[in-house]
Amino acid sequence: GKFIHQQYQNKSKPWFGLALEACSWQMAQSRFLLRRLMACALNIQKQSQQQQCRILVVDRRDAKSRMLHNHAKLMATLRSELPTHCSFFEFVGSKLSLEQQIAAFLSADLVIAPHGAALGFIGFMRPGAAVIEITYIFQGKTGPLIFFAAAQSAKLRYYLSVALSGKHSTALTADIPDIVTLAKRALLTQEH
């Protein structure tokens, strides 16, 4: 299940070379051991298949860039369009301790986030979980795919949605129908 949204895969390539992106593969230390140690340290129990799915949505309202103009509308649409057994957690990094941030990612089945530092926590997610990264277009090409490599090394399913407007240094406008489609696909193929 490695997947980049096909609409954008053929449309553009990263604006930097693979050699620069390779540094993110260094994050591929023993993910399993790290996840297990953190889960034990934070006393997080393994989810049973009966529990509701947990969707973490990163809200960059505390950041200077790449916050979503339409975050509230995205949340309302996700809540109305996704299955009722899903619970939602809006992640604002500055409001959480490091332990709370790690715990949030450890327990997430699906993370939806604009490109940014919070995606560095995807290494704590369980294998088979999914990530939807909201990126932007830079010089006619898809923004950096640094977290694609991190997702691959953590055995996560990776999806990419390109914002309707915005760039690295500004706010973004999320493509809500695209994100909802990707979220439904991610939940439909969720590995437990």
Side-chain angles (χ1 to χ4, degrees), residues 57-61 65-75 112-115 134-135 163 165 170-176 179:
V57 182
V58 174
D59 182 347
R60 287 181 54 92
R61 74 178 95 158
S65 61
R66 296 180 311 285
M67 66 291 285
L68 298 178
H69 281 300
N70 53 350
H71 178 83
K73 184 176 180 185
L74 172 63
M75 291 304 301
I112 301 170
H115 176 80
I134 304 166
T135 191
S165 65
T170 67
L172 303 175
T173 302
D175 184 342
I176 293 174
I179 293 168

Side-chain angles (χ1 to χ4, degrees), residues 2-14:
K2 280 82 173 166
F3 178 81
I4 297 178
H5 197 272
Q6 293 297 319
Q7 180 179 355
Y8 304 111
Q9 186 177 23
N10 299 325
K11 178 175 159 184
S12 59
K13 299 202 184 283

